[in-house]
Amino acid sequence: MPRRHHATPRRRRASLIALTTAGTLLTLGMQTGAASAAPTDPRPGRITATPRAGAEPTALSPARRASLIKSAQTAAGTTAQRLGLGGQEKLVVKDVIKDADGTTHTRYERTYAGLPVLGGDLVVHDKGGRTTVTKASGATLKVPSLTPKLSASNATGKALAASKKADVKGSETEKAPRLVVWAGTGRPVLAWETVVEGVQEDGTPSELQVVTDATTGKQIMAAEKVHTGTGTGQYVGTVPLGTTQSGSTYQLTDPGRAGHKTYDLNQGTSGTGTLFTDDNDVWGNGLPSNRQTAGVDVAFGAAATWDYYKEVYGRNGIRNDGVAAYSRAHYGSSYVNAFWQDSCFCMTYGDGSGNTHPLTALDVAAHEMSHGVTAATANLTYSGESGGLNEATSDIFAAAVEFYENLPADPGDYLVGEKIDINGNGTPLRYMDKPSKDGSSSDSWSSTLGSLDVHYSSGPANHFFYLLSEGSGAKTINGVSYNSPTSDGRPVTGIGITNAAAIWYRALTTYMTSSTNYAGARTATLSAAADLFGAYSPTYLAVADAWAGINVGNRIALGVNVAPIADQTSGIGQAVSLQVDAYTTNSGAGLTYEATGLPDGLSISPSGLISGTPTTLGTGDVTLKVTDSTGASVTDTFSWRIAYIYANATRVDIPDNGPAVESPVTITGRDGNASATTSVYVNIVHTYRGDLTVDLVGPNGTVYSLLNRSGGSADNVDQTFSVNASAQPLNGTWKLRVQDRASIDVGYIQNWQLTP
């Protein structure tokens, strides 16, 4: 009969069994951290708040989740039309989350002409019929051809070369490259995706995903898909454990957590080895020489991680489908790492240097298994800034699990890998309060962050999470001293680990996508904070403060705020609709809007919508004032120019010290047709007397002289010129160049396409 012991001693004290565990944290393969105190133990100087009812996810049974996914897939065609997707695009449902208030968040992958779209994922948020969308890419999904110029075999060769450059040994591709559409960055292109398998330099298995442009042969991306990162445990101490009795033997199969199994690889590097068994249900002795010790740490880490996600967020397993992963201990010989592999849906742990320091600590397990949660949700691409956020996510939840378990042998902290002593001098791998203390990680965001290894570009996000949880400055938590700085030198007040982790979890599962970068993570966490605690609540403002503390975005000022409005240009007779984006941090206060200097024909509504049809040419300053009902206000000034603008043309602007140009430009013709002409319509308002020359410069540098006028009165040039464009490429950059008597050379560069 099955026998179950819960691995959560502070919550359910079933009869303890004497187990033992060993563990060590991975080197570059993972990051781990810990978080702050539970809500029952508030610290001085912390923002206290309780999440609002309704925004938390509802725990769904596997059957209910499957039903929601099936229903969403049935309606996918209608959803695609509603979102305005192209005729060749289709949506494939990946997951559905349902909030307590009935709001659904459906995560989709996309296909284009039947091909998978990498970086095309999106989330549709539906609340009472009101739909909003979060997209990984805002680019229009279209490629000029579905026929690759680069062959599959050549793509394989390039991928193998990339793997060798990444020091992957024994590289081979078990599957042929697959043709995809890459939409992760820039303009979507046809591409080959190849997965090269081998072994990384430290002995970790490698599944290197290489994406190659199918037209140019250029490598677009290379990202690693293997993410490294009563019993008495080496690290967790005496803990309860979930086991199953089979005859007279006990197995490390946890019936309370979907039958999660823990295997002994016996220093092997493939397969599952043998299932851990015992004759009396008393496991390990706390020493690495006992093989069961590592098994205890591994099994407990898996149980603790499962419990955390289920009890805190209602998540039913890593994929939220009620299916257990499995764990493998004793991988390789003296292997100093641990890793998550989505392809096997499993966790693997090495025994560390000399096979005496297993990488089986609690934060390692939680870190690696959280990679699986990320893969099942936002699936953050494991390179660049999104790769750093992927790693940080695992650190964040490793910290949260460590604090949630509250083990006497391993109290929560904001140190990564403090138990396993990989450095050999007692120091942790990384520090969440000040990541640069490890000598490689960054404390704050910079434009070069994405070029770092993902284990170091995660630093700013770890720092953000620490600041959001605990705040800045010097403090001691669970006996560990911290002193966290901010990039702007201003203090940050923490909200506690529980609320900080809840915000990150909702951002990850509801708003982040595969291409989310640091700026996108700020937006996602602010949206999550608004859902859970209210927009512009103290908790929401603390999120913005913590991001500003690592140089991502600005702090939100107390009182009325208005998003800056760029200088505007509108056309005579063309309708205008400009919504002012403003808010107040004063709870419950309403807003009123005033605008002076608006162009003739425009007005502002009580809701802040500027609309109307301009009637008079000219340029002037507009001053916008927004006031809330407490009397707080803010102003913003911008210029608004009213000009002649043609709907199918491009305006060419010349500064006030030169001729004023209102120049719609339309180019037609066919490349290679000797008789083809390009028609250029130019309307120039010449504001004073003087010489005036107008030239058109083609993509290949050819100058077409359109006008050369000496002297004359201030007047308009309004005419059509024709030039022979047969020598110009179909796509390219043209420049309309205007010079006045002061030799001011001004142009407006546009990408124009010659069409038949």
Side-chain angles (χ1 to χ4, degrees), residues 134 464 503 507 511-512 516-531 540 543-544 547 552-553:
T134 303
F464 158 81
I503 288 170
Y511 295 108
M512 291 186 188
T516 296
N517 57 13
Y518 269 76
R522 178 182 185 273
T523 300
T525 51
L526 284 172
S527 295
D531 293 343
Y540 180 99
V543 173
W547 281 115
V552 179

Side-chain angles (χ1 to χ4, degrees), residues 155-168 171 194 196 208-212 219 221-223:
T156 298
K158 288 180 178 293
L160 288 171
S163 71
K164 290 176 181 176
K165 187 176 180 181
D167 294 326
V168 176
S171 301
T194 311
V196 182
L208 190 68
Q209 177 193 26
V210 182
V211 180
T212 309
Q219 180 178 304
M221 183 195 74

Side-chain angles (χ1 to χ4, degrees), residues 41-279:
D41 180 28
R43 301 204 225 295
R46 171 181 293 176
I47 295 172
T48 56
T50 302
R52 301 189 304 176
E56 68 277 5
T58 300
L60 299 173
S61 67
R64 178 57 178 151
R65 174 177 175 271
S67 175
L68 288 172
I69 290 175
K70 182 178 180 180
S71 177
Q73 191 60 63
T74 300
T78 302
T79 303
Q81 291 180 346
R82 189 160 46 115
L83 298 180
L85 303 185
Q88 297 194 80
E89 298 179 58
K90 293 188 183 302
L91 294 173
V92 180
V93 180
K94 181 178 180 181
D95 198 9
V96 179
I97 295 173
K98 189 171 185 178
D99 293 343
D101 64 2
T103 302
T104 58
H105 309 276
T106 307
R107 189 176 292 274
Y108 296 92
E109 304 286 357
R110 270 194 285 180
T111 64
Y112 177 84
L115 299 177
V117 179
L118 304 185
D121 49 304
L122 55 88
V123 185
V124 175
H125 316 281
D126 197 328
K127 183 174 184 178
R130 181 177 178 271
T131 300
T132 56
V133 184
T134 303
K135 290 185 176 181
S137 171
T140 299
L141 195 56
K142 184 178 181 181
V143 294
S145 173
L146 294 172
T147 303
K149 292 184 179 180
L150 183 73
S151 67
S153 60
N154 284 339
T156 298
K158 288 180 178 293
L160 288 171
S163 71
K164 290 176 181 176
K165 187 176 180 181
D167 294 326
V168 176
K169 301 175 182 178
S171 301
E172 60 179 20
T173 57
E174 289 194 357
K175 296 181 180 179
R178 68 169 182 166
L179 203 59
V180 300
V181 173
W182 169 261
T185 53
R187 180 174 57 88
V189 297
L190 190 70
W192 289 105
E193 180 197 37
T194 311
V195 177
V196 182
E197 297 184 348
V199 180
Q200 298 178 48
E201 197 170 12
D202 67 349
T204 306
S206 174
E207 296 175 11
L208 190 68
Q209 177 193 26
V210 182
V211 180
T212 309
D213 191 311
T215 301
T216 66
K218 181 180 179 181
Q219 180 178 304
I220 298 173
M221 183 195 74
E224 183 58 64
K225 295 176 72 67
V226 178
H227 303 316
T228 58
T230 48
T232 304
Q234 183 169 340
Y235 304 114
V236 299
T238 301
V239 293
L241 206 66
T243 63
T244 299
Q245 185 175 2
S246 177
S248 61
T249 301
Y250 295 90
Q251 302 173 340
L252 276 188
T253 299
D254 191 339
R257 297 165 184 90
H260 179 280
K261 297 180 182 297
T262 303
Y263 295 95
D264 182 349
L265 270 175
N266 298 295
Q267 272 54 64
T269 57
S270 62
T272 57
T274 57
L275 186 65
F276 275 103
T277 60
D278 187 76
D279 61 356

Side-chain angles (χ1 to χ4, degrees), residues 261-512:
K261 297 180 182 297
T262 303
Y263 295 95
D264 182 349
L265 270 175
N266 298 295
Q267 272 54 64
T269 57
S270 62
T272 57
T274 57
L275 186 65
F276 275 103
T277 60
D278 187 76
D279 61 356
N280 62 1
D281 213 12
V282 178
W283 304 77
N285 62 5
L287 300 176
S289 57
N290 185 311
R291 300 192 69 80
Q292 289 184 356
T293 295
V296 172
D297 275 337
V298 167
F300 180 82
T305 304
W306 176 287
D307 288 350
Y308 171 77
Y309 281 111
K310 188 168 186 177
E311 294 172 7
V312 178
Y313 307 118
R315 187 173 191 84
N316 192 13
I318 288 175
R319 288 190 301 232
N320 201 25
D321 59 0
V323 176
Y326 64 88
S327 299
R328 307 184 301 175
H330 301 303
Y331 173 90
S333 181
S334 296
Y335 174 66
V336 189
N337 221 323
F339 56 89
W340 167 266
Q341 222 168 342
D342 211 51
S343 58
C344 68
F345 200 57
C346 69
M347 260 300 307
T348 305
Y349 303 82
D351 284 336
S353 178
N355 292 326
T356 58
H357 294 78
L359 283 88
T360 54
L362 176 59
D363 54 358
V364 180
H367 172 106
E368 298 302 345
M369 296 175 74
S370 292
H371 275 306
V373 174
T374 298
T377 55
N379 196 26
L380 290 157
T381 301
Y382 206 60
S383 65
E385 289 191 21
S386 60
L389 292 170
N390 189 317
E391 272 298 313
T393 295
S394 285
D395 285 353
I396 285 166
F397 290 120
V401 170
E402 199 173 73
F403 270 98
Y404 190 69
E405 281 303 317
N406 196 29
L407 295 174
D410 189 8
D413 56 55
Y414 292 95
L415 305 175
V416 178
E418 75 286 352
K419 284 285 184 181
I420 56 176
D421 193 23
I422 281 185
N423 295 327
N425 58 5
T427 60
L429 286 175
R430 288 173 290 276
Y431 306 78
M432 297 183 83
D433 66 318
K434 189 177 182 183
S436 62
K437 288 169 68 174
D438 68 11
S440 299
S441 296
S442 295
D443 290 334
S444 301
W445 180 89
S446 73
S447 60
T448 61
L449 186 67
S451 64
L452 296 180
D453 179 277
V454 295
H455 299 90
Y456 305 136
S457 62
S458 63
N462 282 339
H463 189 193
F464 158 81
F465 184 74
Y466 175 88
L467 288 171
L468 185 61
S469 298
E470 298 294 345
S472 57
K475 52 180 61 71
T476 300
I477 302 166
N478 287 345
V480 179
S481 297
Y482 304 95
N483 193 356
S484 191
T486 59
S487 64
D488 60 1
R490 298 172 59 188
V492 171
T493 301
I495 65 173
I497 176 83
T498 302
N499 288 341
I503 288 170
W504 193 272
Y505 179 81
R506 184 165 180 85
L508 176 76
T509 58
T510 308
Y511 295 108
M512 291 186 188

